[in-house]
Structures are given as structure tokens and as C-alpha cells.
């Protein structure tokens, strides 16, 4: 692990994550997708066509119409938690992308369904195995608040959470358990968790994950918990500070680290 006592680059990190008005659709490292593009709005209708001028009412409804491997754009407004079940995961050529039309203006409010995660590509709370392991799913530019469990649960391989703001989750802000090639980048993750022992800003385990450019602050437990035994993983350019537990990072395994700042 590389620890830096200086705050060089912190201002750049915070401006990039906190002050950018760039639409999420033009976000950093947006996932390529050659599938269709469809629109959802809180004021949309099931009888609409899924276009920008005629949006559908929910991501779940969009899946019934067009299925996996497409980009679904959420127009500004407040939405109930979103689950991407296994059958709606994409492929390397056609990932399933759920993206805010404008960064942080599509708000996922966990209070509208407190029994589940804010965003999930699996749902361990449901007994139906079809809810597990949706691969090649990207969540981009969304704001997740008040999740009754985890803010974002990346439940499959090649999942991405980027440009999101996750706050007020009951448990971890963003988590991924024993999945491979997961990317968590350029997110603001703050004020999550109720337990200093169990609830962290980011919890990840698995092979080949990437944590990059995140601001992780004021969470209950660790800022970043990487266990057990992550392998061939990279963390770089993260700013992690001010956790209630006074502990910012814990890991075991094989990691590549560069230019991170960890401070209490």
C-alpha cells in the first residue's frame, strides 16, 4: 500500500467527482454499448415507445420490452431501487448500462423499497436464484440515497459502478462479494453504514477488481475493506478519509497501488 502524507492532487480529485456538471453520458470511461438506447422517466408510461420524447416508467418495464444488452437512460427525477436480474445481464460486446441522463439527477431513493439494495445486479435477500449474478452490468452517474441494505451491490463479473453518489445506506455503500473484474471508479461514497465493525464505504473481494478515483469519507466502518484474499487487483487515485471507525483501509492479498491518499 502506498500512503501519502501530502494532499497533492486532492483538490483535483474532489473537483472531478463533486463539482463536475458534465452529463453522465459523457462520463469518464463510459462502457461501450452497441445495443439500443432507451429512456425512462418517473412520469413515463407503459404505453410509450421508450424514446426520449416518449419514455417508459421504470427500468423493470424497459427490461420487459427490450431485455438485456442495451443502454437505459434515466431522466431526472426520483426512482425506487433498481434490480438487474441475472437474465438481464449483458455481454462483453453488449453490456447492460443503467445511466443517469445528467450526473446525479436521477435519484434512487431506498426509502421507496427499504427491503432491498438501492442498485443491484443480484439480490441475496430473495430466494429466487434467477436474481443472482448478472454479468456485464454498468451503473453510471446515479445518486443513491437511503438504501435499506447496501447502496450498490455489484453481484456479477465485469460489473461497473462509476460516477455515482452513494449516501445514507444502512450497510455498505458499494459492495461486491467474490466476483471478478469489477470496476468501482470516480464515485462519491459518504455517510453509509450503522456499524463501525461491519458497514464500510466499499467492500470488495475477488479477482482483478479496480478501485480508482473514488472519494470515500465519513462512513461507519472502514473506508475500503478488501477481503478475503483479493488477487491481482488495482487501487489508484482514491481519496479516503474521516471514517467513524478511524480506520480507512484494510486488505490482504495481491494488489497494485498508486497515488492513493488515506488520512483520518
Amino acid at each position: 500500500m502506498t500512503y501519502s502524507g501530502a494532499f497533492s492532487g486532492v483538490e483535483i480529485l474532489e473537483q472531478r467527482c463533486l463539482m463536475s456538471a458534465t452529463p453522465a453520458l459523457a462520463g469518464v470511461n463510459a462502457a461501450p454499448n452497441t445495443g439500443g438506447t432507451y429512456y425512462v422517466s418517473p412520469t413515463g408510461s407503459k404505453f410509450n415507445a421508450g424514446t426520449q420524447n416518449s419514455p417508459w416508467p421504470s427500468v423493470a418495464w424497459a427490461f420487459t420490452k427490450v431485455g438485456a444488452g442495451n443502454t437505459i437512460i434515466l431522466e431526472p427525477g426520483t426512482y425506487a431501487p433498481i434490480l438487474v436480474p441475472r437474465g438481464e445481464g449483458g455481454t462483453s460486446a453488449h453490456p447492460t448500462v443503467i445511466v443517469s441522463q445528467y450526473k446525479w439527477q436521477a435519484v434512487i431513493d431506498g426509502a421507496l423499497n427499504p427491503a432491498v439494495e438501492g442498485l443491484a445486479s443480484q439480490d441475496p435477500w430473495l430466494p429466487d436464484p434467477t436474481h443472482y449474478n448478472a454479468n456485464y452490468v454498468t451503473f453510471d452517474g446515479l445518486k443513491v440515497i437511503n438504501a435499506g441494505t447496501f447502496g450498490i451491490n455489484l453481484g456479477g463479473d465485469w460489473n461497473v459502478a462509476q460516477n455515482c453518489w452513494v449516501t445514507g445506506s444502512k450497510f455498505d455503500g458499494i459492495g461486491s462479494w467474490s466476483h471478478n473484474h469489477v470496476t468501482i471508479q470516480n464515485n462519491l461514497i459518504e455517510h453509509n453504514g450503522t456499524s463501525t465493525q461491519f458497514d464500510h464505504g466499499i467492500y470488495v473481494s475477488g479477482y482483478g477488481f479496480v478501485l480508482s478515483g473514488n472519494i470515500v469519507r465519513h462512513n461507519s466502518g472502514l473506508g475500503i475493506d478488501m477481503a478475503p484474499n483479493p488477487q491481482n487487483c488495482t487501487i489508484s487515485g482514491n481519496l479516503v478519509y474521516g471514517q467513524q471507525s478511524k480506520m480507512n483501509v484494510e486488505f490482504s492479498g495481491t494488489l497494485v497501488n498508486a497515488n492513493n491518499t488515506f488520512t483520518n
Side-chain angles (χ1 to χ4, degrees), residues 29-193:
N29 297 321
N33 191 306
T34 55
T37 299
Y38 303 94
Y39 287 79
V40 165
S41 169
T43 60
S45 168
K46 293 181 178 180
F47 302 102
N48 286 346
T51 64
Q52 186 170 7
N53 294 325
S54 182
W56 288 317
S58 69
V59 171
W61 183 253
F63 285 148
T64 70
K65 302 297 288 186
V66 297
N70 297 288
T71 295
I72 301 174
I73 299 172
L74 274 60
E75 296 182 358
T78 301
Y79 297 82
I82 295 170
L83 168 66
V84 182
R86 180 172 61 182
E88 306 303 347
T91 66
S92 59
H94 299 272
T96 295
V97 179
I98 313 298
V99 56
S100 178
Q101 184 176 23
Y102 300 101
K103 185 177 180 180
W104 299 348
Q105 292 189 33
V107 179
I108 314 303
D109 189 350
L112 298 177
N113 189 353
V116 300
E117 300 94 330
L119 298 169
S121 53
Q122 73 165 184
D123 197 325
W125 307 109
L126 297 177
D128 182 352
T130 63
H131 287 86
Y132 282 74
N133 301 334
N135 298 325
Y136 293 100
V137 174
T138 292
F139 298 115
D140 191 351
L142 303 159
K143 182 178 181 181
V144 181
I145 64 173
N146 306 322
T149 60
F150 306 99
I152 301 177
N153 180 356
L154 301 176
D157 297 341
W158 301 100
N159 279 196
V160 178
Q162 63 184 13
N163 306 312
C164 294
W165 180 4
V166 184
T167 185
S169 308
K170 183 176 181 180
F171 302 145
D172 299 336
I174 299 179
S176 183
W177 290 265
S178 300
H179 298 293
N180 301 318
H181 306 291
V182 165
T183 297
I184 300 172
Q185 64 184 3
N186 303 328
N187 301 286
L188 172 60
I189 304 160
E190 61 178 359
H191 302 294
N192 297 287

Side-chain angles (χ1 to χ4, degrees), residues 171-250:
F171 302 145
D172 299 336
I174 299 179
S176 183
W177 290 265
S178 300
H179 298 293
N180 301 318
H181 306 291
V182 165
T183 297
I184 300 172
Q185 64 184 3
N186 303 328
N187 301 286
L188 172 60
I189 304 160
E190 61 178 359
H191 302 294
N192 297 287
T194 54
S195 167
T196 57
Q197 183 178 0
F198 299 112
D199 302 335
H200 314 302
I202 297 174
Y203 178 88
V204 285
S205 62
Y207 179 92
F209 63 73
V210 175
L211 308 180
S212 177
N214 300 288
I215 297 176
V216 187
R217 63 188 185 186
H218 309 312
N219 300 286
S220 292
L222 296 165
I224 301 174
D225 188 7
M226 297 169 282
N229 198 32
Q231 296 296 318
N232 296 314
C233 304
T234 301
I235 59 172
S236 64
N238 300 283
L239 173 60
V240 185
Y241 68 94
Q243 319 312 318
Q244 293 181 28
S245 67
K246 307 299 182 183
M247 298 175 64
N248 285 311
V249 63
E250 179 176 271

